[in-house]
Amino acid sequence: MSWNKLLCNLRELQLSGTLNGGQSFRWEYNKEMDEWTGVFSKTVWKLRQREEFLQYKVIGSLLQSIVQKKNDVEFDNNGVFEGLLKKYFRLDFNLSDYYTKWSEKDDLFKAACKQFYGIRMLAQEPVENLFSFICSQNNHISRISSMVEKLCKHYGEEICEQDGVTYYSFPDVEKLSTPKVESELRQLGFGYRAKFIQKSAAQILEWEGEKWFAGLQDMKYKEARLELMKLCGIGPKVADCICLMSLNHLEALPVDTHVYQIAAQNYLPHLRGKKNVTEKMYSEIGDHFRSLYGDYAGWAHTVLFCADLKKFQQTTDSEDIKPKKRRKKT
DNA sequence: AGCCTACCTGGGTC
DNA sequence: AGACCCAGGTAGG
């Protein structure tokens, strides 16, 4: 099967930072092949970026249109898949213009954006986004990824198999809502998040799932945030992640340990050395970045977040560029 | 309202 | 080797 092409300059989309920067937990990079494999919209994708094009293949899909003609995927469904991909990466958003704007406003951004060009805010699916980020609390990215895969494997639908790997869709809310889910997830190593997942799923189902999510997109950001926080296991930070990543509220700005550190070190020195981020500090930090970057502050913040992640820090041969010194409590 | 702590688990560090 | 600490926080006090 040959690659399909989508016009998109290299500088406009950096796959590694975008797919592996803590937005989605379902993408994997194959170094040998220089390609990314991942799942969204009940479809398994392979992606690679070239100078002028984003190239993609659909490995398998449960979408209606594909079921009829499995062998003619590329031809018949090209439009559908291309549309999905454009939407997922928000390719209609002119990133260069915003990078320029954000750079002018902020030296830290200016420094970060050289290496972290083309970091895009994905337009994810709300259900996957919500449950993935319930898993994210007080947790490492590597473990979050394995938990999300477990959710898919145990509660999602099989999409296809390739090279000995079976790919699953992210489960529907209904599958996660039955009472036994909590104990099953405990068994699978989800810890205290097991209860949050099952309870939230049951609650969302009661609020009529799709309708509820659609309503959240139509609300104002702050309103949607409060509504999300009614769910058990969703606090200020996860609510902001969901607003930003799947509800199209780009001014939402999740304040986690990374962002707190960045803010305290660079902008708000009076917040240094605090044990934990209080509600008050949280909004102060968010408002600071919003006043700095404007309407799409959450997007700009994602670029900074990316630059702060350990795995993207330069690992040159020199020893002295260790990412961050461990802070001792003295 | 604002501050404190327990919480599952696994990987990293000393 | 074994006790730390920490990780994209949150609920409940």
Side-chain angles (χ1 to χ4, degrees):
Chain A
M1 197 196 303
S2 63
W3 293 89
N4 299 289
K5 286 196 212 169
L6 199 49
L7 194 63
C8 176
N9 188 278
L10 179 65
R11 305 293 299 180
E12 280 286 313
L13 172 60
Q14 180 180 159
L15 290 179
S16 63
T18 302
L19 297 178
N20 214 3
Q23 296 187 55
S24 167
F25 302 97
R26 298 210 68 191
W27 290 95
E28 204 154 3
Y29 181 61
N30 182 322
K31 200 169 182 182
E32 220 166 295
M33 306 292 287
D34 181 31
E35 62 186 29
W36 292 85
T37 308
V39 183
F40 71 88
S41 293
K42 297 182 187 294
T43 301
V44 183
W45 308 78
K46 279 195 190 298
L47 306 176
R48 64 184 196 192
Q49 179 70 39
R50 292 293 180 262
E51 191 60 37
E52 295 295 337
F53 298 100
L54 169 63
Q55 303 184 333
Y56 70 95
K57 285 180 185 177
V58 171
I59 303 305
S61 178
L62 298 176
L63 295 184
Q64 204 72 65
S65 53
I66 203 172
V67 176
Q68 327 151 336
K69 274 203 146 191
K70 230 178 179 172
N71 294 326
D72 263 339
V73 174
E74 339 136 71
F75 197 75
D76 282 334
N77 299 290
N78 214 13
V80 177
F81 290 125
E82 189 173 308
L84 284 172
L85 214 49
K86 276 183 181 164
K87 201 174 146 205
Y88 188 68
F89 284 107
R90 297 180 186 273
L91 290 184
D92 54 343
F93 187 91
N94 190 327
L95 194 52
S96 303
D97 289 352
Y98 279 89
Y99 263 55
T100 306
K101 194 171 134 190
W102 295 328
S103 296
E104 285 167 0
K105 300 244 165 103
D106 179 29
D107 287 339
L108 190 64
F109 186 93
K110 198 173 180 178
C113 72
K114 292 198 181 90
Q115 186 187 348
F116 297 93
Y117 63 89
I119 304 298
R120 288 193 165 266
M121 210 57 235
L122 298 173
Q124 299 191 64
E125 298 161 288
V127 174
E128 174 177 333
N129 189 213
L130 188 149
F131 290 102
S132 297
F133 277 84
I134 287 181
C135 295
S136 79
Q137 61 166 279
N138 205 224
N139 213 346
H140 301 271
I141 288 184
S142 62
R143 184 164 167 235
I144 302 165
S145 305
S146 82
M147 284 168 142
V148 171
E149 279 316 305
K150 283 178 192 170
L151 286 179
C152 297
K153 183 174 178 187
H154 291 270
Y155 301 98
E157 283 178 83
E158 183 175 334
I159 301 173
C160 66
E161 191 193 317
Q162 201 195 41
D163 301 329
V165 182
T166 310
Y167 294 94
Y168 300 87
S169 65
F170 196 90
D172 298 328
V173 177
E174 204 167 351
K175 288 274 173 55
L176 298 173
S177 68
T178 57
K180 63 176 182 174
V181 167
E182 181 183 345
S183 59
E184 289 171 353
L185 290 180
R186 279 254 169 202
Q187 204 65 36
L188 290 169
F190 279 64
Y192 56 81
R193 300 165 194 84
K195 182 170 79 176
F196 296 160
I197 290 171
Q198 189 275 326
K199 277 184 82 171
S200 289
Q203 183 64 260
I204 292 169
L205 205 59
E206 202 176 302
W207 290 338
E208 301 181 71
E210 292 302 314
K211 258 189 219 170
W212 183 69
F213 279 114
L216 292 174
Q217 304 209 33
D218 295 335
M219 288 175 195
K220 289 256 196 306
Y221 154 56
K222 295 274 182 188
E223 205 182 332
R225 184 172 185 267
L226 284 175
E227 181 68 18
L228 284 163
M229 285 170 65
K230 289 179 184 167
L231 292 174
C232 184
I234 296 187
K237 190 266 172 179
V238 170
D240 275 331
C241 286
I242 300 164
C243 282
L244 174 64
M245 298 175 183
S246 64
L247 298 176
N248 212 28
H249 295 300
L250 280 324
E251 74 267 48
L253 202 146
V255 178
D256 53 41
T257 48
H258 294 263
V259 177
Y260 161 67
Q261 292 297 336
I262 295 170
Q265 287 313 309
N266 300 282
Y267 307 102
L268 307 167
H270 60 285
L271 299 183
R272 285 178 196 165
K274 306 285 184 190
K275 259 197 213 154
N276 37 21
V277 179
T278 66
E279 194 89 42
K280 198 177 157 193
M281 290 163 63
Y282 190 105
S283 51
E284 187 181 347
I285 293 168
D287 289 342
H288 173 80
F289 283 114
R290 274 185 283 273
S291 71
L292 197 55
Y293 298 129
D295 287 344
Y296 295 91
W299 192 318
H301 132 285
T302 299
V303 179
L304 288 188
F305 176 81
C306 225
D308 200 60
L309 278 183
K310 245 189 201 162
K311 65 174 154 194
F312 292 127
Q313 304 270 338
Q314 287 290 2
T315 46
T316 48
D317 19 340
S318 56
E319 293 280 328
D320 47 359
I321 314 192
K322 288 260 167 66
K324 249 186 280 186
K325 285 275 193 305
R326 185 173 284 264
R327 291 182 320 289
K328 277 252 166 62
K329 278 175 204 147
T330 44

